[in-house]
Amino acid sequence: MELIVAIAIAALTGCGVWLLLRPRTFQVIIGLALLSYAVNLFIFSMGRLRVGAAAVLEKGQIGDPQAFADPLPQALVLTAIVISFATTALFLVVLLASRGLTGNDHVDGREPE
Amino acid sequence: MTNWADHLIILPILLPLFVGAALLLVDERHQQIKAFANLGSIVVMGGIALLLMRAVDPSTATGSAPIAVYRLGDWPAPFAIVLVADRLSVLMLVLTSILAFASAVFATARWQRVGAHFHSLFQFLLMGLNGAFLTGDLFNLFVFFELLLAASYGLVLHGSGQARVRAGLHYIAVNLTASVLFLIGVSLIYAVTGTLNMADLAVRIPQVPAQDRALLEAGAAVLGVAFLVKAGMWPLCFWLPTTYAAAAAPVAAIFAIMSKVGIYILLRLSLLFFGAGSGASALFGSDWLVAAGIATILFGLIGALASQEISRLAGYAVLVSSGTVLAVAAAAGQPAVTAAALFYLVSSTLAIAAFFMLIELLERGRDPGADMLAVTREAYGEDAPDDPDAEEVGMVIPASMAILGWCFVGCAAVIAGLPPASGFIAKFAMLSALLGGDAATGISPLSWTLLALLMLSGLTMLIAMTRAGIRTLWSPTERADPRVRLAEIVPIALLLLGCVAMTVQPQTAMSYMQGAAGSLHAPATYTDSVLAPVQTRVRTGGGS
């Protein structure tokens, strides 16, 4: 499972970085979205990968921290998802405003010669 | 600390939250109400910050390094959220409220009307700033950072126009990427240490086993890069001059503190996690910080000399100021040097904020400004009451060009560090602290380098500012005196008066900075204050 998660994170990050470096605004926004997915997976894996563990507490197993998954990365991922949704939406608005003002979708607002 | 004073700590976060949210409900037509609510909230915030400053001041408090800790929900420290107010964070709070007051007053003259929800965004920005200064754990640091960035995205676009949208697009993309790095750094550190509370981290980092150390340092480095982007460190700073030049004047003025948030966090975390007494990772990355700081100063100086527009010159002044604080504070690792760097931070931030607002007044009537205004008016339709002749706030003051000229001289003196301005005192203090370092080993080559660089930066900024001043103030162009309102010149004068106060009473300011630097260099007091009840209540077992 570790290998699959690692490959998934690597693929998402690689595609995200490549798209982020593209000159079109839409590619940049997709790149940022992919990067944020990669980071969310990464945060999860940093809290140790567990299969079938209870989110916070299993019934009847109070007091045994081995029995449940680490809640802090989950909270961090939740916060990161909410924030990246909000900022990506904002970025989309700016992207549309830029498209409207400049008439093209180049990140500098000018088509290369 | 008494009980009521304890609850003061959370007010700088809650107050702007509620005021900003309430202002969203007020119709855009009632700009005066919104402006008064915004200013009132900032004044109350400033009062709270001053009360907190009194509470942690070494001369009035009983302890040697009083640190106020506020536990949300009254849970013990590493298991829940804490807010921590020590001298450095309170100093930043006071600085924030002074800058916020000046730029909010400035905005009432004109800028509040060119876009929607200026005052709400302003309050949310303040909430993020105050939260970032007060928080005691990395998780909430991320949340407050995103809050202040989200508000700043809105503010950077305030007034619209093509230049702002293009600069805003780059600004948002760069900062979203930096946030991704922030999260990677935080989660790596969490993976190694199992905690995100800063005080708990400071205790655990010396105990990290050798095989995990590479991972920890990688996490710290990635986190550091995220903050260096915000602080505008070369080579991560190319967005900064463009964005600050494109932003509206009061927004650029309050952004002067935003680059200092990154520096504040770097200072705090590097001294807390990797201070001199933190075991195997001691002083991790401080060489890099010095090198980056020196490179930033040089880049800022070259940029300042090359700037054709005066607003870009101010952006490069921000870079020089950031670089100076980082290089000097990271280089010597002594409380005296850090104190001088903090003094410089405060005085240069005040002067740069005043400079950003002054530029707007100086450029008024010039062609680019007129273009920008025309675009703004077009974007917001004809109903925007943006007639420069409409006298709603204040009056047109006489001899405006002469007054602006004097303000320009004041800003130039502080930024370049000419005597008797506070910038000179700050530079003098840094130089004397660097030279007085080690009597036994002599003065290190690094100190000599920094010394030469500080002199060079003063000279270069003076040349750049003088050139800009001659071009703006003395060149015989065909134009009338700019129309300046009282509400626009008073905040600039207020900020410069702050610098004058630091010149008149340098001892008072300096002794506070020394207290702040002293407690920064003694992380044990910080960790003890935050973790104190836990060590008696919970950690009775094997752990230290």
Side-chain angles (χ1 to χ4, degrees):
Chain A
M1 182 174 68
E2 285 81 357
L3 191 67
I4 296 170
V5 173
I7 289 171
I9 294 174
L12 283 171
T13 313
C15 299
V17 169
W18 190 75
L19 283 173
L20 194 60
L21 298 174
R22 302 268 77 208
R24 305 281 160 195
T25 46
F26 185 71
Q27 292 165 321
V28 170
I29 201 170
I30 296 295
L32 280 169
L34 287 184
L35 264 185
S36 72
Y37 296 148
V39 164
N40 290 340
L41 276 178
F42 182 74
I43 298 171
F44 257 129
S45 60
M46 283 300 110
R48 307 289 182 271
L49 294 172
R50 306 279 301 271
V51 174
V56 177
L57 278 183
E58 193 108 43
K59 206 174 178 184
Q61 281 187 318
I62 297 162
D64 181 14
Q66 295 295 320
F68 55 88
D70 194 345
L72 198 133
Q74 300 176 21
L76 198 52
V77 167
L78 193 59
T79 316
I81 288 173
V82 172
I83 288 173
S84 75
F85 264 167
T87 44
T88 309
L90 187 77
F91 191 69
L92 194 62
V93 173
V94 178
L95 185 157
L96 290 174
S98 171
R99 174 78 177 77
L101 282 170
T102 63
N104 67 66
D105 66 343
H106 195 272
V107 282
D108 283 335
R110 278 188 302 265
E111 286 295 334
E113 299 301 318
Chain B
M1 292 281 290
T2 50
N3 247 345
W4 61 269
D6 254 342
H7 291 289
L8 276 183
I9 298 177
I10 198 164
L11 281 182
I13 298 170
L14 289 185
L15 185 71
L17 170 66
F18 287 124
V19 173
L23 285 183
L24 283 177
L25 305 175
V26 181
D27 192 90
E28 282 294 319
R29 278 168 299 187
H30 303 130
Q31 283 294 349
Q32 296 304 323
I33 299 174
K34 290 188 154 200
F36 278 122
N38 188 2
L39 283 173
S41 159
I42 294 168
V43 169
V44 174
M45 218 182 305
I48 294 167
L50 286 178
L51 281 176
L52 281 173
M53 191 177 235
R54 255 177 68 87
V56 299
D57 192 33
S59 56
T60 55
T62 46
S64 60
I67 290 172
V69 181
Y70 187 80
R71 295 181 183 81
L72 279 91
D74 204 23
W75 279 74
F79 305 111
I81 297 166
V82 283
L83 298 178
V84 185
D86 67 349
R87 283 175 209 146
L88 178 59
S89 47
V90 174
L91 174 71
M92 299 305 281
L93 284 188
V94 173
L95 184 60
T96 309
S97 39
I98 293 172
L99 286 187
F101 184 76
S103 62
V105 170
F106 189 91
T108 57
R110 202 167 62 92
W111 280 106
Q112 60 177 3
R113 288 193 294 269
V114 300
H117 297 304
F118 176 80
H119 294 294
S120 295
L121 286 171
F122 202 83
Q123 288 287 315
F124 293 139
L125 178 73
L126 290 181
M127 179 194 175
L129 283 168
N130 289 344
F133 291 137
L134 286 173
T135 184
D137 61 301
L138 294 180
F139 191 159
N140 281 291
L141 186 63
F142 170 70
V143 174
F144 284 122
F145 241 97
E146 289 305 314
L147 245 169
L148 81 89
L149 285 175
S152 79
Y153 300 152
L155 283 176
V156 107
L157 298 169
H158 181 76
S160 194
Q162 192 175 334
R164 282 194 195 112
V165 169
R166 192 190 310 161
L169 191 77
H170 296 178
Y171 175 69
I172 296 175
V174 167
N175 277 295
L176 286 181
T177 319
S179 302
V180 166
L181 290 177
F182 192 147
L183 279 175
I184 293 174
V186 163
S187 49
L188 273 173
I189 289 178
Y190 180 76
V192 175
T193 59
T195 180
L196 285 179
N197 183 289
M198 291 183 198
D200 204 22
L201 275 170
V203 173
R204 287 196 198 188
I205 280 177
Q207 303 163 354
V208 168
Q211 72 266 23
D212 288 346
R213 213 153 260 288
L215 208 56
L216 173 77
E217 288 177 355
V222 173
L223 195 62
V225 170
F227 294 128
L228 287 175
V229 171
K230 266 95 175 183
M233 199 79 348
W234 186 85
L236 309 167
C237 60
F238 294 104
W239 56 273
L240 195 145
T242 318
T243 310
Y244 281 34
V251 174
I254 191 73
F255 276 17
I257 189 90
M258 277 196 19
S259 59
K260 302 297 182 293
V261 183
I263 291 188
Y264 162 84
I265 301 290
L266 278 166
L267 267 183
R268 157 135 298 155
L269 295 189
S270 63
L271 287 173
L272 200 55
F273 295 172
F274 303 111
S278 65
S281 291
L283 299 181
F284 168 72
S286 74
D287 293 347
W288 283 97
L289 286 184
V290 175
I294 289 173
T296 311
I297 299 175
L298 289 175
F299 177 76
L301 292 179
I302 294 167
L305 281 181
S307 305
Q308 295 298 314
E309 291 163 47
I310 190 165
S311 49
R312 286 189 75 83
L313 171 64
Y316 286 108
V318 173
L319 293 186
V320 172
S321 147
S322 292
T324 309
V325 177
L326 257 196
V328 171
Q334 294 152 355
V337 183
T338 314
L342 288 178
F343 192 96
Y344 176 79
L345 187 154
V346 173
S347 106
S348 67
T349 310
L350 289 175
I352 287 170
F355 193 38
F356 270 119
M357 294 195 270
L358 188 62
I359 288 165
E360 213 262 321
L361 302 185
L362 287 175
E363 301 226 311
R364 186 168 293 172
R366 286 163 74 101
D367 284 341
D371 285 350
M372 191 182 66
L373 265 182
V375 170
T376 312
R377 274 200 211 117
E378 197 181 317
Y380 280 88
E382 280 128 34
D383 57 330
D386 201 22
D387 184 5
D389 293 328
E391 282 312 307
E392 289 183 21
V393 185
M395 54 171 184
V396 179
I397 53 175
S400 54
M401 214 55 201
I403 293 172
L404 290 183
W406 276 107
C407 288
F408 187 88
V409 170
C411 286
V414 179
I415 291 174
L418 289 186
S422 57
F424 170 72
I425 297 175
K427 287 206 166 162
F428 186 79
M430 286 194 281
L431 293 180
S432 86
L434 281 172
L435 289 179
D438 256 328
T441 57
I443 301 153
S444 68
L446 179 60
S447 293
W448 283 116
T449 314
L450 284 174
L451 194 131
L453 206 56
L454 283 179
M455 303 270 190
L456 179 72
S457 86
L459 182 66
T460 315
M461 285 314 287
L462 185 64
I463 293 170
M465 299 279 289
T466 312
R467 208 182 50 157
I470 288 172
R471 207 165 43 209
T472 323
L473 295 164
W474 283 356
S475 58
T477 47
E478 290 294 318
R479 60 168 179 176
D481 274 5
R483 304 178 72 89
V484 176
R485 301 211 185 105
L486 206 55
E488 292 176 316
I489 199 73
V490 165
I492 298 175
L494 180 88
L495 291 179
L496 288 177
L497 270 181
C499 293
V500 171
M502 287 177 76
T503 317
V504 178
Q505 286 285 341
Q507 202 48 49
T508 320
M510 204 49 160
S511 70
Y512 186 86
M513 309 293 174
Q514 276 159 356
S519 69
L520 259 186
H521 280 272
T525 44
Y526 183 93
T527 53
D528 288 351
S529 314
V530 176
L531 299 175
V534 180
Q535 278 165 348
T536 55
R537 254 195 286 174
V538 180
R539 295 192 171 182
T540 47
S544 62

